[in-house]
Amino acid sequence: MNKIKGIILAGGSGTRLFPITKSVSKQLLPVYNKPMILLSIGFMISLGIKDILIIVRPKDRVLFKRLLGNGVKFKCKITFKNQNKPKGIAEALKIGKSFFNTKKILLLLGDNFFYGHGLKDIVFNALNSKKGASIFTYQVMNPKLYGVLNKKNNKYTNIVEKPKKPNTNLAIPGIYIYDQKVKKYINSLKPSKRGELEITDLNNIYFSHKDIEIFHLKEGITWMDMGDFDSYLDGCMFISATEKRQGFPIYNYFKKLSF
């Protein structure tokens, strides 16, 4: 696999977790026995990604630096850039434009947790796709809450954000892979009604060019968006139960860490 860089979006206000996020970034909250941001870093390192940019709020930067430093203790390189206001997921790619000088980049939302058998193989295949973008799907019970893969004439055509009448139950989780064309496409994005650069709009540009590949996260793979109280608690309990049962951390690199 060609060298890949990673971007973790850890900005945002974490409003769904107020008041506990009034004074600290959501991605610094403990998930059982480790800060949430380490789950994202562990996932990237497990994929062999060792050059990571973390997008943070300016007021949180010193706290992330205190925890992570420059990444040397994680055997990777970590750099930071500020997102001054929460202006959408796609803005992370705009902020990280100069960082992205490789063939592909993996963008990960810092409050999304992925784990399970076969996960790495699926992501490796996506990173090596000949298409310009790769997205993932996950079957959910209530697709109205998510960006959802839309189907027409038995073909996947685009993504619809929180549709009233979804025609699939395939949600799009917070992991995306893009090629260098994304630099051009993000410049053409217009802010949505909520004033953000929407990742759905970006993905739909790739759909319009038939330059996107879809990978399905199948049974046995866990995806959690830990952005609200219930899902945050679910994440804590899942990691607690998994690590206690198997007797070692969910990512091997955690075994060697000392703070």
Side-chain angles (χ1 to χ4, degrees), residues 108-146:
L108 181 65
L109 304 191
D111 60 359
N112 276 222
F113 170 65
F114 299 90
Y115 187 69
H117 178 70
L119 174 61
K120 286 202 293 185
D121 290 338
I122 294 172
V123 179
F124 281 144
N125 288 337
L127 288 168
N128 286 294
S129 170
K130 293 181 180 179
K131 296 289 188 179
S134 296
I135 58 171
F136 300 82
T137 70
Y138 196 91
Q139 187 171 309
V140 295
M141 287 183 62
N142 191 356
K144 293 180 182 180
L145 300 176
Y146 305 91

Side-chain angles (χ1 to χ4, degrees), residues 64-212:
F64 279 97
K65 286 278 288 182
R66 186 183 302 161
L67 174 69
L68 304 173
N70 61 6
V72 64
K73 60 187 168 188
F74 307 104
K75 296 185 179 178
C76 67
K77 179 182 178 184
I78 294 175
T79 52
F80 301 92
K81 286 199 173 187
N82 293 343
Q83 185 180 41
N84 294 319
K85 292 182 179 180
K87 293 183 178 179
I89 297 170
E91 195 198 29
L93 293 159
K94 211 166 191 176
I95 295 170
K97 209 170 178 180
S98 60
F99 173 78
F100 179 19
N101 55 11
T102 50
K103 186 177 179 181
K104 294 274 183 83
I105 198 156
L106 187 147
L107 173 64
L108 181 65
L109 304 191
D111 60 359
N112 276 222
F113 170 65
F114 299 90
Y115 187 69
H117 178 70
L119 174 61
K120 286 202 293 185
D121 290 338
I122 294 172
V123 179
F124 281 144
N125 288 337
L127 288 168
N128 286 294
S129 170
K130 293 181 180 179
K131 296 289 188 179
S134 296
I135 58 171
F136 300 82
T137 70
Y138 196 91
Q139 187 171 309
V140 295
M141 287 183 62
N142 191 356
K144 293 180 182 180
L145 300 176
Y146 305 91
V148 177
L149 198 58
N150 192 43
K151 202 171 190 179
K152 189 176 182 180
N153 297 328
N154 213 33
K155 290 184 178 180
Y156 297 122
T157 57
N158 64 317
I159 300 167
V160 181
E161 192 64 32
K162 297 180 180 176
K164 292 181 180 178
K165 295 182 179 180
N167 62 16
T168 77
N169 61 352
L170 299 175
I172 310 299
I175 174 174
Y176 316 91
I177 296 168
Y178 300 107
D179 67 358
Q180 285 283 332
K181 292 192 291 294
V182 78
K183 293 181 179 181
K184 177 178 69 174
Y185 294 156
I186 55 175
N187 287 332
S188 68
L189 292 180
K190 305 295 183 186
S192 65
K193 291 180 180 179
R194 58 179 184 168
E196 297 188 1
L197 298 181
E198 305 289 352
I199 199 72
T200 292
D201 292 342
L202 176 61
N203 289 326
N204 283 336
I205 292 175
Y206 277 96
F207 266 108
S208 71
H209 291 284
K210 295 181 172 56
D211 195 25
I212 191 166

Side-chain angles (χ1 to χ4, degrees), residues 8-14 25-27 55-57 60 64 83 86:
I8 300 173
L9 182 55
S13 302
S25 167
K26 168 175 54 179
Q27 288 82 10
I55 309 291
V56 299
R57 295 184 299 181
D60 297 321
F64 279 97
Q83 185 180 41

